[in-house]
Amino acid sequence: MKGYTRYFRNRILWYLLTFAVALVLNFVLPRLMPGNPVASIAAGVTESLTDSKAAAEMMEEYTRAFGLDKSLPEQFLVFIGNLLKGDLGVSFRRYPTPVVQILKESVPWTIALQLPAILTGWMLGNLLGAVAAYRRGVFDRAIFPAFLFVGAFPSFGLAIILLFVFGIMLRVLPTSGGYGFDLIPGFNLQFIASAVRHYQLPFWSIVLNTIGGQAIGMRSMSIYELNADYVKYSRFLGIRDRRIVGYVFRNAMLPQVTGLALSLGTMVGGALVAETIFSYPGIGSTILSSIKAQDYPMISGATLFITVGVLLANLVIEILYGFIDPRIKANQQE
Amino acid sequence: MAEYILEVKDLKTRYVTRFRENVYAVDGVSFKLKEGETLGIAGESGCGKSTLAMSLMGYYFPPLHYTSGSIIIDGRDITGEDPEVLRRTVLGTEIAYIPQAAMNALNPTRKIIKYINDVLVAHNIRLSRTELREMAEERMRLVNLPVEVLDRYPVELSGGMKQRTVIAISSLLSPKILIADEPSSALDVSSQKLVIKMLLDLIDKGLVKSMIFITHELPLLYNVTKKIAVMYAGQFVEMGPAHESVFEPLHPYAKGLMGSIIVPSEGIRDEHLVAVPGTPPNLKSPPQHCRFAARCKFRQPLCDSVVVPERFSSDGRLFRCLLPEAVLRELKYEDQIKSKQEDAEVELDVNIIPFAEDNGDGDSGKESGG
Ligand SMILES: Nc1ncnc2c1ncn2[C@@H]1O[C@H](COP(=O)(O)OP(=O)(O)OP(=O)(O)O)[C@@H](O)[C@H]1O
Ligand code: SF4
Ligand SMILES: [Mg+2]
């Protein structure tokens, strides 16, 4: 057990380091984009001003308000200082709304979309991989390759295809938004029905994109496990085939949990793209519009939120995994 | 109680590879064992020892297939029985198997006690929690393992512990026959001896009635088992009482094999049974004539043109060679057969069996198909 604790202390240190690096990148990268955010934001306001001096003053005021008059390192210190107080700054685009406020609006949409979609895709993928390995036949030769093919599409490509087929050609599902634009969010039947309908396309595009990648790993793990010595030994002991298939499924499934942790970042990235294609009111769409407006605090805040989310999910999976798979536990203790 | 606890008659099994080729890994093996008797099977790598062990279970799954012959356990012919009946009433209870790689034989993610319960449940034995623990603890003590092992996962056990756990599990249902496939190959010499002793104890304690040991390291075995068989290319070429088989082997291959252990002493372990130059025939298309001919020092012209049957010496030992028993008894592996009479061939005293009619499909007369 001592080795186990030490293992996790090391892991947590490692996560903190990753977080620190991500923090710097999340801050610096948006600010390296060419262009001046104040210019575009102020443009709207200063248009009406004929006095060029007044316009210049206005610009200066915005620059000061956004803290852009300071050097980059100084800005970073301010950013960190505010962060410690739980303040992510104020959005440029929706000045003076705080970034935290905007995140609060969009994050629930993203979580409600991505968590179920990624988990569903992961589970269906594992099921398909296991069945393809065990049953062979049509599963292995037709269904599995079909999902592999679909999964190999870039996420925006798949989203656009779905949007085109179901939204534009068949006209069975809405193509954008999280709910009908004429509705006000609330707990009424009309709104929920609308939200469910808007949910379908982004949800399935994420699910379809996840299945193939998960199935491929699960299939090879299952084939490997089916050939393991314990399968043969269990058979010769007279253990029922159904039980042995259970062993194989469990043993092949466990490494897939790490697979989930490893690909979580990519999956979230893909899912964010799907959000923007369907103009879903989540964090992906928020990032897209912030990038267009060079809304630095908003970009940094949103990416920071995603970073923390993915890292935390990873850590939780890793801890859980050590408990459910004795093989890993034994490794971790070494 | 039948006269023999195990009777195997002309057993033939084969692997069918992915490319639909047959590998005739067990090709006509017959022997009988009485209660309390032990048989050692030796032979070089790839001769079919493990395949024979698995074939004896009577429960076949791909790529291994049954071709012909019969396996009679205590009077009951298990060949051709319904696999589900076999699974429930034969596997583990009549005959059990300790696999060659016993270290990897346990499901890594199942606690030993749960796995033991799985084995019991598979045979419709349902014990309460305390009964289960009691019986499992007793079995652990039998193989000198601490009872804590029951609550461990296999990954948390050392190689030797896993080995003993597998012995305990294989003998759990008190099988009449226990087959140990190289039960000790991954261990050091002293642990090997311990494992063998532990297995023999199972007979003394009445848990197991008869045992088959497989090895390619005869030095460990020849003073342990009552009988020894030497396997070559899917067949027994020699079988008899252990001492005679080792010290006065009849078959030329056995003579070569035993050459390396004829001076039995401690520290002999490094000498593996590879003293005979050459390689065995490919089991996909073994020759119809003597399978050992290509490597045999004493080969005669007839050896290349007739089927060699199983023959029995005056004292009932099996040998699969065309040379007369008297000649074989005199021959040493180092001898040259023609040294006394230049150019004269030994007179072969065997009924000549012509080859099976070749049906022209190049299949050397073997039955084929799935
Ligand atoms: N799954 C398989 N498919 C096809 N051929 C196989 C398979 N397993 C074994 N064989 C072949 O069957 C023959 C007998 O193999 P087997 O494992 O029984 O040998 P062995 O005597 O136990 O060897 P060792 O001493 O190395 O354990 C070998 O020629 C081997 O190549
Ligand atoms: S039959 Fe001939 S080739 Fe075969 S072992 Fe005997 S002497 Fe050698
Ligand atoms: Mg073997």
Side-chain angles (χ1 to χ4, degrees):
Chain A
M1 212 55 206
K2 217 169 116 230
Y4 203 41
T5 336
R6 195 180 52 223
Y7 173 82
F8 275 109
R9 212 182 42 224
N10 288 345
R11 289 308 292 160
I12 287 169
L13 278 178
W14 184 243
Y15 276 101
L16 287 177
L17 190 71
T18 314
F19 173 73
V21 172
L23 191 63
V24 175
L25 291 179
N26 286 345
F27 177 82
V28 173
L29 288 182
R31 288 164 176 81
L32 292 183
M33 285 193 295
N36 181 356
V38 181
S40 47
I41 292 165
V45 191
T46 50
E47 226 166 61
S48 52
L49 293 175
T50 42
D51 186 349
S52 67
K53 190 158 168 267
E57 264 169 25
M58 196 76 168
M59 283 277 279
E60 230 165 81
E61 199 182 311
Y62 269 110
T63 308
R64 216 173 309 116
F66 292 172
L68 295 178
D69 53 339
K70 301 199 181 73
S71 71
L72 212 55
E74 274 176 300
Q75 288 183 42
F76 184 64
L77 289 179
V78 173
F79 174 71
I80 297 292
N82 288 339
L83 185 63
L84 291 176
K85 286 181 273 171
D87 177 7
L88 286 170
V90 173
S91 163
F92 296 173
R93 184 172 58 95
R94 285 172 56 186
Y95 187 79
T97 322
V99 167
V100 173
Q101 173 67 35
I102 299 176
L103 281 180
K104 272 189 192 147
E105 288 162 15
S106 54
V107 163
W109 288 97
T110 291
I111 290 182
L113 174 65
Q114 297 202 4
L115 201 66
I118 288 177
L119 285 181
T120 307
W122 181 73
M123 282 190 298
L124 288 180
N126 283 326
L127 207 61
L128 177 65
V131 173
Y134 188 69
R135 275 283 152 85
R136 298 293 169 106
V138 63
F139 285 98
D140 208 25
R141 255 172 267 130
I143 303 179
F144 171 70
F147 275 100
L148 215 56
F149 179 71
V150 171
F153 276 54
S155 50
F156 66 87
L158 187 66
I160 288 172
I161 291 173
L162 287 183
L163 189 143
F164 183 74
V165 173
F166 293 96
I168 297 174
M169 271 171 61
L170 303 175
R171 290 174 181 280
V172 287
L173 289 168
T175 57
S176 78
Y179 48 91
F181 58 85
D182 48 351
L183 299 172
I184 299 157
F187 267 105
N188 55 66
L189 221 66
Q190 202 190 5
F191 174 76
I192 291 171
S194 171
V196 167
R197 272 167 56 74
H198 282 80
Y199 192 70
Q200 298 308 315
L201 282 182
F203 177 81
W204 290 107
S205 88
I206 296 171
V207 169
L208 287 178
N209 233 310
T210 315
I211 289 182
Q214 293 302 315
I216 197 170
M218 183 63 178
R219 178 177 169 275
S220 37
M221 270 317 291
S222 303
I223 289 176
Y224 172 83
E225 290 288 337
L226 278 169
N227 287 318
D229 287 345
Y230 70 81
V231 170
K232 211 197 262 178
Y233 182 56
S234 300
R235 276 190 172 144
F236 280 135
L237 281 172
I239 295 179
R240 285 188 185 86
D241 245 24
R242 228 179 318 130
R243 160 109 316 157
I244 298 174
V245 169
Y247 296 162
V248 166
F249 187 74
R250 187 188 144 99
N251 290 352
M253 185 79 183
L254 291 176
Q256 288 298 100
V257 178
T258 342
L260 177 64
L262 278 177
S263 47
L264 204 61
T266 331
M267 285 187 205
V268 170
L272 292 175
V273 171
E275 269 186 18
T276 62
I277 303 257
F278 296 107
S279 316
Y280 207 70
I283 213 169
S285 304
T286 308
I287 292 181
L288 185 68
S289 39
S290 322
I291 290 175
K292 282 194 210 138
Q294 298 199 321
D295 187 347
Y296 303 152
M298 192 63 234
I299 304 174
S300 295
T303 47
L304 189 65
F305 177 82
I306 294 167
T307 311
V308 172
V310 171
L311 282 181
L312 270 182
N314 258 299
L315 184 64
V316 168
I317 291 172
E318 199 167 339
I319 291 173
L320 272 182
Y321 190 38
F323 279 105
I324 56 178
D325 192 339
R327 294 170 295 187
I328 295 299
K329 200 159 156 187
N331 273 337
Q332 288 170 346
Q333 273 164 356
E334 269 157 23
Chain B
M1 165 92 19
E3 186 185 357
Y4 295 101
I5 195 93
L6 177 64
E7 217 177 325
V8 179
K9 292 183 188 160
D10 202 23
L11 184 64
K12 294 187 183 185
T13 61
R14 64 183 194 280
Y15 290 107
V16 180
T17 67
R18 279 190 297 148
F19 311 106
R20 310 229 157 260
E21 291 168 312
N22 288 327
V23 180
Y24 303 98
V26 173
D27 207 28
V29 169
S30 310
F31 66 92
K32 292 171 184 172
L33 271 185
K34 287 189 180 149
E35 182 171 339
E37 278 185 346
T38 48
L39 168 69
I41 302 175
E44 62 197 341
S45 190
C47 70
K49 302 182 298 293
S50 297
T51 312
L52 175 61
M54 291 185 265
S55 301
L56 291 176
M57 309 291 295
Y59 188 72
Y60 304 96
F61 42 86
L64 187 59
H65 294 262
Y66 167 79
T67 306
S68 63
S70 55
I71 302 160
I72 300 158
I73 300 176
D74 202 10
R76 169 178 174 190
D77 188 345
I78 62 163
T79 33
E81 276 200 41
D82 175 48
E84 175 58 21
V85 174
L86 263 179
R87 180 193 70 69
R88 212 176 50 243
T89 64
V90 173
L91 299 183
T93 57
E94 297 289 298
I95 187 162
Y97 175 59
I98 297 174
Q100 182 159 8
M103 311 282 182
N104 310 325
L106 296 167
N107 177 4
T109 62
R110 197 123 179 105
K111 278 189 183 155
I112 305 298
I113 184 123
K114 290 215 165 166
Y115 193 68
I116 288 179
N117 193 43
D118 288 350
V119 175
L120 295 173
V121 167
H123 295 88
N124 296 334
I125 304 170
R126 280 160 219 282
L127 300 183
S128 74
R129 207 173 259 264
T130 42
E131 284 171 328
L132 170 68
R133 189 154 288 273
E134 229 166 77
M135 105 90 111
E137 285 183 356
E138 187 200 316
R139 292 311 177 110
M140 287 292 124
R141 278 193 283 270
L142 209 64
V143 293
N144 294 329
L145 279 175
V147 293
E148 290 81 59
V149 166
L150 290 172
D151 294 301
R152 301 260 188 87
Y153 292 100
V155 279
E156 298 167 328
L157 303 178
S158 74
M161 286 166 115
K162 277 190 255 189
Q163 180 95 39
R164 276 180 278 170
T165 308
V166 168
I167 292 175
I169 292 176
S170 288
S171 59
L172 192 67
L173 301 163
S174 308
K176 288 181 180 140
I177 302 141
L178 183 60
I179 308 172
D181 191 355
E182 314 232 11
S184 53
S185 55
L187 305 171
D188 59 86
V189 181
S190 56
S191 322
Q192 290 191 7
K193 287 187 175 159
L194 271 177
V195 166
I196 289 174
K197 184 171 175 304
M198 192 174 287
L199 287 166
L200 291 173
D201 279 352
L202 294 175
I203 297 189
D204 293 342
K205 293 194 173 115
L207 286 173
V208 171
K209 294 210 165 85
S210 188
M211 211 173 298
I212 298 174
F213 286 93
I214 290 173
T215 186
H216 55 241
E217 294 181 67
L218 261 182
L220 271 162
L221 213 59
Y222 73 88
N223 49 9
V224 165
T225 59
K226 182 175 156 70
K227 287 188 189 175
I228 278 182
V230 175
M231 197 165 180
Y232 186 78
Q235 301 175 329
F236 281 179
V237 293
E238 166 109 24
M239 179 166 55
H243 193 271
E244 276 103 315
S245 291
V246 171
F247 292 97
E248 301 149 22
L250 293 172
H251 193 276
Y253 173 65
K255 286 180 194 291
L257 205 60
M258 303 312 175
S260 61
I261 59 155
I262 211 76
V263 244
S265 60
E266 297 303 319
I268 205 155
R269 193 170 172 261
D270 282 349
E271 293 195 56
H272 292 274
L273 305 177
V274 288
V276 185
T279 50
N282 186 338
L283 291 177
K284 282 176 188 161
S285 52
Q288 282 195 57
H289 57 80
C290 175
R291 295 190 172 186
F292 185 58
R295 297 165 78 182
C296 184
K297 287 177 66 178
F298 312 126
R299 174 182 186 173
Q300 304 293 311
L302 200 56
C303 298
D304 289 337
S305 48
V306 298
V307 175
V308 187
E310 286 190 334
R311 304 173 66 204
F312 294 90
S313 68
S314 48
D315 49 354
R317 294 165 58 189
L318 177 152
F319 64 103
R320 211 186 260 268
C321 174
L322 292 175
L323 295 178
E325 179 189 340
V327 175
L328 286 173
R329 280 195 188 274
E330 290 307 310
L331 270 177
K332 293 267 178 298
Y333 187 68
E334 301 76 30
D335 290 350
Q336 292 296 317
I337 199 164
K338 291 175 190 165
S339 57
K340 287 178 194 153
Q341 297 165 268
E342 285 297 321
D343 290 332
E345 280 165 14
V346 176
E347 204 172 304
L348 303 176
D349 63 345
V350 70
N351 295 332
I352 291 176
I353 305 172
F355 288 169
E357 201 61 43
D358 199 347
N359 41 20
D361 62 0
D363 195 25
S364 59
K366 288 272 174 199
E367 78 109 84
S368 60

